[in-house]
Amino acid sequence: MRITADFTVVPDAFAKAAPPENRIDGTPIVSFPFYIDDLDPAVRYLHWEFVDPDSIPVCGFEWIHWSVANLPVDALMYDFNDSHALAIPPDFSRTLPAMIPETVQGRNSSASKFVGRGTDPAVIMRYNGPQPPDKDHEYYLHVWGTTKPLPGLNQGFWLNELLHAVRNCGETPDQGGIFVTGKA
């Protein structure tokens, strides 16, 4: 599996400089697009995490920006004439619940009792765009592919639950990742 995007620096619309219409309570909530290529043909479900390891010195833990589980590959649009046959479109995080309700999104770090940014599911259980406070940060998007859905994950799962489910799924999942930068 190969993960790519049309950028190496997260564009303003999906990050710290997002316009007001792309924010809730100051938090960027419109997810960025990316592509999944060279997917193993046996893969039927996708799962991912988007995290900020560079946040550890700032807040004491790796910031979770977005996590998704049990996205059926066949629910996504394919264009075999396109060099990127499998695309995750912009704003997927907000449109996903209505489009593909069996897919679940996990809590991000805004849900942490240490951060206390509220209880609005549109903020704490969806994409939170990069807003590095100190310097440019490097973010990691890691995608796994499996043949079966991961059991026991419900809307609002925690990232550790996703990681345990991937590890315990009983198969060797296809996987790939990409690093991108968020501007301070």
Side-chain angles (χ1 to χ4, degrees), residues 3-182:
I3 309 303
T4 59
D6 291 333
F7 54 85
T8 56
V9 175
V10 179
D12 288 349
F14 313 109
K16 191 174 191 172
E21 63 271 16
N22 289 8
R23 298 172 168 271
I24 294 178
D25 297 330
T27 301
I29 46 84
V30 174
S31 58
F32 59 83
F34 63 93
Y35 307 103
I36 303 167
D37 296 304
D38 304 326
L39 186 64
D40 182 316
V43 169
R44 298 289 176 255
Y45 293 89
L46 298 171
H47 326 275
W48 65 77
E49 67 173 343
F50 180 58
V51 294
D52 176 8
D54 287 337
S55 68
I56 296 169
V58 177
C59 63
F61 54 90
E62 180 177 70
W63 192 272
I64 304 162
H65 285 272
W66 191 19
S67 56
V68 172
N70 297 332
L71 173 61
V73 171
D74 62 2
L76 298 171
M77 298 298 289
Y78 282 98
D79 180 356
F80 292 105
N81 296 316
D82 188 341
S83 61
H84 298 295
L86 192 57
I88 303 301
D91 206 14
F92 193 63
S93 176
R94 290 193 304 170
T95 59
L96 181 58
M99 288 175 33
I100 313 168
E102 65 271 30
T103 300
V104 292
Q105 295 183 77
R107 289 181 183 98
N108 56 53
S109 290
S110 291
S112 166
K113 65 181 178 180
F114 301 111
V115 176
R117 287 198 179 167
T119 58
D120 184 347
V123 175
I124 66 169
M125 288 192 284
R126 301 285 186 272
Y127 171 86
N128 271 192
Q131 300 186 80
D134 58 335
K135 61 181 181 177
D136 292 355
H137 283 202
E138 191 172 65
Y139 297 82
Y140 186 55
L141 172 64
H142 189 163
V143 181
W144 296 272
T146 60
T147 60
K148 300 175 192 164
L150 300 175
L153 296 176
N154 298 309
Q155 204 67 255
F157 63 83
W158 290 102
L159 181 58
N160 65 310
E161 294 174 293
L162 172 62
L163 298 175
H164 291 300
V166 167
R167 186 183 67 232
N168 296 326
C169 72
E171 60 179 86
T172 303
D174 193 2
Q175 58 185 308
I178 185 175
F179 285 97
V180 294
T181 300

